[in-house]
Amino acid sequence: MALTLTVDGDRWRQHLRAVAEATPGLVPVCKGNGYGFGLGRLARRAGWLRDQGFDVDTIAVGTYEELPEVAQRYSGDLLVLTPWRPFGAALELPAELSGRVVHTVSREQDLVDLLGRQPGARFVLEHLTSMLRHGMTGRQLRTAADHLAGARAGRLEGIALHLPLAQGSHLGEVHRLLNDVVAAGLAPTTIWVSHLTPEELATLRASYADFRIRPRIGTDLWLGDRGALRVTATVLDVHEVDRGDVFGYRGRTAPKAGHLLVVSGGTAHGIGLESPTGDSSLKARAATLARGGLDAVGFVRSPFTIDGKQRLFAEPPHMQASMLFLPHGPRVPQVGEEVEVRVRYTATGFDRVLVS
Amino acid sequence: MTASDLTVRTLTPAEHLDFVRRQASVSFLQTPAWAKAKPEWRAESLGWVRGGEVVGAALVLYRQLPKVKRYLAYLPEGPVIDWDTDDLAGWLAPMAAHLKQQGAFGVRMGPPVITRRWSAAQVKEGIADPEVHRLDQVAPLERSEAGARVVAQLQELGWRPQAVDGGFAAGQPQHNFWIPLAGRTEDDVLKGMNQQWRRNIKKATKVGVEVSAGTDADLKAFHDLYVHTAERDGFTPRPLAYFQAMYDALAAEEPDRIRVWFARHEGDLVASTIAIRVGTHAWYSYGASSTEKRDVRGSNAVQWAMIRDALAAGADVYDLRGITDTLDSDDPHVGLIQFKVGTGGEAVEYAGEWDLPLNGLLYKAFDTYMRRR
C-alpha cells in the first residue's frame, strides 16, 4: 500500500565504495530529502564508508536545521553548506556539536560576528563563483584573509567553491578562483568543491598537488547507479468503465471503454508535481505546461509504468493515490500488484525504503 | 600608500636611465637603450611621477596597425612600477589614458612579476613522468602571493591574458630558467649542476678550450657562427645589423651591459654567446655553436665563464631566458629545457602578457589579424 524505493543493496554499496575509492577526500552530501533515502540513512551510510577505511571524515548538510537528523548517526565532522548568518538556526547550534560543525562563511561581517560569538569556530570561506549565489569576491577574500591574520581566532578549514552545473569546462574558472586564493595569502589550503567531472578533478589535483581537494558529491554518489534502484507503487483498486462513465473527484467521463486503476503514490509523495529538470528546451517547457493543464487538454502521461508502457493519469493525482486510465487491450494488473514509477529522487518522499 | 596622486608623463632618456640605475634591476627590454635596438618602432620613455619624483618608468614601443595611424603600445617585461600595490588601478589608469592620447588602440604589457617557481629536480621528474606533459601539471615549489594578486587585479580591471599555447608565443616567454646567484659561490653553483654539466665543463678545460670576451669588432665572428647554427637548427637568423644596433645601443648605456663571448679550441671557434646585465640580473641572450668539435664542450665552457662573470659582477640571478612549458619527452623543445635544467636552478613563471583594449573596434580587428597571421 505504499510508494516504495527498493534498493539492490549489494550493487548500491558496491557503487558507493567505487566512488569513494575513485574520489580521495570525498565529502558525501546529505541534504534535503536525503536524495529519497532519507538523511539518517545517508549519514549512517557515510559512517559505514568511513568504517571501510575510506577517508570520509566529513559529510555536508544543506542547512543548520538538518544537523540533528545526521549528528547522532554519523560521528565525523559536519559541514553546513548554507552560509552562516547572525540569525536563525545557526545561532541555536547545540553546544555539543560546536566542535564538529564546519560553518560556511560568505561575508566578511559574518566572519567578524561568528568569531565574536564562537572564537574557536571552524569554518570555510566561500568564494563567489559565476553562480553569483553566496560568496566573497577575490578582493573580499583578501580583506577577510587580512582580518584572519590579525584575529588569531577560529580555525580556517579551507575555501569552498560552489560551481554551476557543468557547461563546458570549469577549469578556467577554477584556475581564476584559486589564483584569488593564492593572492589572499591562503594557499596552499583545502578546496571544497562541487560539480567537477572526474577528468577535471584529476587535472586539478595534478596542478594543485600542494592543495587538498575535497569534492562534495551528492547525486553522483547516492544516485549514481540508477540500476540499483527501483521505485514501485501498489495497485489498490481496479474498475472497469464504459465510454461515457462518470468517475473521479471532478466527475470526468471515460473517453472510451477500459479500466480505471487506483495506485498508491500521490501529491504527498511528490507524484505529479514538477520539479525543474534543468532542461530548458521548448519541448520540455511545453511538456511542463501540458502536465499543468491536465483538465484542459485531456489525459496526460503519468510516471507509472505498466508492462513497460507509461500510462495516462485519469485525473490529477490525489494526496496519497493516483488514478490511471488503461484502455482495452493491454493486460489489466491485479489488485496488490506492483507497478514501476519514474520519479525525481530529490523531490520524492517514499513511504518505505527497502535496502536488501 | 595611495596611487591616486600619480601622474604619467614622457621622460627624457636621461631621466629614464637615471630611474633604471636606481633600481636593483629591471628587464633589459625596459632600458631606454632598448628603444635604439628596435629602431623600426616608435618608442617613448614613460614616467610615473609623484610630488616631482619619478617613481615608475616604462619603455613603450608603438607597433603600428597596417594602413592606420593607430598603435599597439607594447611594454615588454614592463612597466617598472610598484607591483606589490593593492591599487594597481591607480598606476595603470593614468598610463592607459596617456597611451590613448598617443594614438594607442590597445596596450600590451608583461608585468615583471613571478607567479610560480619549480626546482630543477621537479622539472626533471616531470619530464621523466609519462603522465606529465606540461609544467602546469607539476605542483610548484612556491606560489607567489604577490604575483597572484597582480593577476587577480588585472582580471578585475579588464585586462586580458594573452594565452600562450605550447611552444614560444610571439611575445616574451612566460616561463624562464634561472640560476639563483645571491649568496652563492662558484663552488655552490657548480655543485648545483648535474653531473653531465660538471663533467663537460671539466672536459673543456682539460682539452684546452679557451673562453674570452670580445668587443663589438668581434660581432661578425659571432654572427657567422650564429648563421651556421641557424642553418643547422632550422630557424631564421637575424641580420648582423640587428646585433650591431643592439650592441652599440646597450654598450653606450653602461660599459658592461652587453658582452660577446667566444670559446675556441686550437684556434677554431666552437661556441659564441651574447650576455646582457642590468644591475643584479644577468641574461644569456643569444648563443651559437659549431657542428664540428662538439665533443670539446665549448657551449658548457662559455656558459660557465658567463656565470662566473655574472657572479663576479655581483648579480643575483643568471637568467637562461625562455623555456616552453612542455615536459613531454617527445617534444622537440624538451632538449633545450634539459640543457638548461642541467645547470640546477629553477623554472620561473611570469604573470604573462596582458592586453587592455582602448578602442574596442580597432583592437578586435588587430586581434583577428594576429590570429590569422
Side-chain angles (χ1 to χ4, degrees):
Chain A
M1 297 264 285
L3 189 67
T4 306
L5 168 62
T6 308
V7 182
D8 178 340
D10 283 342
R11 186 170 166 176
W12 188 53
R13 286 185 292 267
Q14 198 180 345
H15 167 76
L16 300 183
R17 274 199 300 266
V19 174
E21 177 92 55
T23 320
L26 171 71
V27 180
V29 176
C30 309
K31 66 175 181 183
N33 71 340
Y35 296 83
F37 298 92
L39 289 174
R41 180 175 280 103
L42 297 189
R44 276 198 302 271
R45 198 46 63 187
W48 170 81
L49 278 173
R50 192 186 181 193
D51 294 342
Q52 305 263 304
F54 298 108
D55 65 337
V56 178
D57 62 14
T58 310
I59 61 172
V61 296
T63 63
Y64 285 92
E65 285 84 351
E66 289 166 357
L67 282 171
E69 278 285 304
V70 302
Q72 300 298 318
R73 297 177 171 96
Y74 173 81
S75 62
D77 290 341
L78 307 165
L79 172 72
V80 183
L81 296 174
T82 300
W84 187 90
R85 292 285 186 263
F87 48 75
L91 304 185
E92 293 152 19
L93 188 66
E96 70 268 19
L97 286 186
S98 63
R100 286 170 64 197
V101 167
V102 178
H103 304 278
T104 296
V105 174
S106 67
R107 303 186 305 173
E108 201 200 342
Q109 188 52 50
D110 289 348
L111 183 62
V112 178
D113 274 1
L114 172 64
L115 295 183
R117 286 163 196 266
Q118 190 192 337
R122 302 170 63 186
F123 61 93
V124 295
L125 293 179
E126 181 158 7
H127 191 1
L128 190 67
T129 69
S130 59
M131 273 238 294
L132 290 184
R133 190 158 73 174
H134 306 297
M136 302 181 185
T137 62
R139 196 163 276 270
Q140 288 164 346
L141 203 59
R142 295 204 285 280
T143 317
D146 290 347
H147 175 81
L148 280 178
R152 290 177 183 279
R155 208 167 116 194
L156 176 66
E157 303 274 351
I159 303 296
L161 306 179
H162 208 128
L163 295 165
L165 288 166
Q167 289 169 339
S169 174
H170 280 122
L171 284 180
E173 177 169 9
V174 173
H175 278 294
R176 203 163 58 246
L177 296 169
L178 292 195
N179 179 74
D180 285 338
V181 175
V182 179
L186 297 171
T189 183
T190 303
I191 304 295
W192 308 71
V193 68
S194 62
H195 298 136
L196 289 178
T197 65
E199 294 74 31
E200 288 174 326
L201 269 175
T203 308
L204 205 62
R205 285 188 200 283
S207 294
Y208 294 89
D210 47 339
F211 285 67
R212 184 161 184 229
I213 311 286
R214 303 213 62 177
R216 298 185 309 248
I217 303 181
T219 304
D220 288 346
L221 176 66
W222 307 119
L223 302 173
D225 184 0
R226 294 293 163 103
L229 312 175
R230 190 164 161 258
V231 179
T232 51
T234 313
V235 177
L236 303 175
D237 230 325
V238 181
H239 307 288
E240 192 169 4
V241 287
D242 270 332
R243 181 189 158 109
D245 282 358
V246 177
F247 68 90
Y249 273 128
R250 291 165 179 77
R252 306 188 87 186
T253 50
K256 49 187 164 182
H259 287 84
L260 290 172
L261 262 54
V262 183
V263 294
S264 59
T267 52
H269 304 90
I271 296 290
L273 303 180
E274 283 293 318
S275 85
T277 58
D279 185 354
S280 55
S281 69
L282 203 60
K283 194 178 154 203
R285 282 158 62 193
T288 306
L289 269 178
R291 267 163 241 165
L294 194 69
D295 276 341
V297 293
F299 295 175
V300 300
R301 281 213 303 189
S302 79
F304 296 90
T305 304
I306 298 167
D307 293 339
K309 196 169 189 300
Q310 254 180 292
R311 287 302 164 189
L312 300 172
F313 274 127
E315 70 168 356
H318 306 160
M319 194 150 82
Q320 291 182 308
S322 297
M323 265 184 144
L324 309 179
F325 181 72
L326 191 65
H328 268 315
R331 185 184 69 86
V332 181
Q334 302 288 304
V335 170
E337 239 186 89
E338 305 250 286
V339 297
E340 305 254 348
V341 196
R342 263 182 47 193
V343 298
R344 286 207 80 197
Y345 293 85
T346 52
T348 306
F350 298 103
D351 297 309
R352 306 170 70 189
V353 180
L354 302 176
V355 184
S356 63
Chain B
M1 186 170 66
T2 149
S4 55
D5 49 349
L6 287 164
T7 53
V8 167
R9 67 164 169 87
T10 306
L11 298 179
T12 67
E15 282 178 307
H16 189 182
L17 183 58
D18 177 58
F19 175 80
V20 167
R21 281 180 176 148
R22 283 191 280 120
Q23 310 306 306
S25 176
V26 306
S27 167
F28 67 91
L29 304 173
Q30 282 293 308
T31 59
W34 191 250
K36 299 199 191 84
K38 294 281 176 192
E40 69 273 28
W41 293 331
R42 175 159 76 91
E44 183 189 15
S45 285
L46 211 67
W48 279 258
V49 181
R50 178 191 284 133
E53 193 198 349
V54 178
V55 292
L59 178 72
V60 186
L61 301 171
Y62 290 94
R63 284 180 70 169
Q64 196 181 335
L65 200 63
K67 294 177 197 162
V68 199
K69 265 203 136 16
R70 302 295 291 279
Y71 307 85
L72 177 73
Y74 183 40
L75 292 70
E77 297 186 356
V80 184
I81 57 174
D82 173 21
W83 289 103
D84 282 336
T85 180
D86 213 27
D87 180 23
L88 262 190
W91 288 81
L92 298 179
M95 173 185 87
H98 176 92
L99 295 174
K100 192 169 187 179
Q101 230 170 24
Q102 298 290 311
F105 64 84
V107 190
R108 177 168 297 174
M109 65 175 183
V113 171
I114 287 170
T115 45
R116 291 186 286 183
R117 295 173 195 267
W118 293 262
S119 70
Q122 287 178 309
V123 176
K124 207 178 129 199
E125 279 166 31
I127 295 171
D129 187 343
E131 297 284 306
V132 171
H133 305 290
R134 286 174 180 278
L135 205 48
D136 182 61
Q137 290 174 281
V138 179
L141 197 63
E142 186 210 332
R143 297 178 191 274
S144 160
E145 181 183 334
R149 215 162 42 223
V150 167
V151 169
Q153 290 188 79
L154 292 177
Q155 300 265 16
E156 281 168 16
L157 297 172
W159 288 74
R160 303 175 183 183
Q162 294 307 294
V164 184
D165 198 19
F168 287 105
Q172 299 304 322
Q174 186 169 4
H175 297 95
N176 291 275
F177 206 84
W178 283 9
I179 306 175
L181 299 181
R184 299 174 80 196
T185 63
E186 279 183 20
D187 221 34
D188 297 336
V189 176
L190 204 55
K191 274 184 193 147
M193 294 182 171
N194 71 10
Q195 209 180 16
Q196 198 185 0
W197 261 88
R198 290 200 302 266
R199 210 185 297 142
N200 289 349
I201 290 168
K202 208 183 268 176
K203 177 164 189 192
T205 316
K206 204 171 148 197
V207 301
V209 171
E210 286 174 6
V211 180
S212 59
T215 66
D216 62 339
D218 303 312
L219 270 179
K220 174 80 168 68
F222 160 80
H223 193 259
D224 288 346
L225 192 62
Y226 164 77
V227 169
H228 169 81
T229 307
E231 275 169 18
R232 182 188 68 222
D233 296 348
F235 63 87
T236 313
R238 294 176 181 278
L240 178 58
Y242 173 82
F243 291 99
Q244 208 86 55
M246 179 170 99
Y247 193 99
D248 292 347
L250 292 180
E253 198 167 84
E254 299 285 356
D256 58 353
R257 180 141 292 168
I258 183 164
R259 252 184 202 164
V260 55
W261 289 85
F262 300 99
R264 291 190 172 83
H265 181 254
E266 293 168 352
D268 298 325
L269 185 60
V270 290
S272 183
T273 53
I274 288 175
I276 297 173
R277 187 172 58 80
V278 181
T280 57
H281 202 114
W283 289 267
Y284 155 52
S285 189
Y286 283 92
S289 63
S290 67
T291 310
E292 306 291 304
K293 290 193 172 183
R294 297 191 79 76
D295 58 316
V296 303
R297 303 298 174 185
S299 290
N300 300 94
V302 77
Q303 287 291 342
W304 180 231
M306 287 195 292
I307 292 166
R308 292 172 64 194
D309 188 60
L311 265 169
D316 289 340
V317 172
Y318 182 79
D319 190 333
L320 290 136
R321 296 284 288 167
I323 54 173
T324 58
D325 70 344
T326 179
L327 294 184
D328 218 323
S329 50
D330 298 331
D331 192 291
H333 291 299
V334 86
L336 179 71
I337 299 175
Q338 277 167 326
F339 176 79
K340 293 181 179 180
V341 167
T343 63
E346 58 195 21
V348 298
E349 178 190 62
Y350 281 101
E353 298 204 315
W354 293 73
D355 278 16
L356 181 70
L358 298 175
N359 175 322
L361 216 59
L362 280 175
Y363 177 82
K364 207 169 159 71
F366 163 79
D367 200 39
T368 312
Y369 163 74
M370 292 301 282
R371 277 175 214 283
R372 288 194 186 148
R373 233 166 40 138

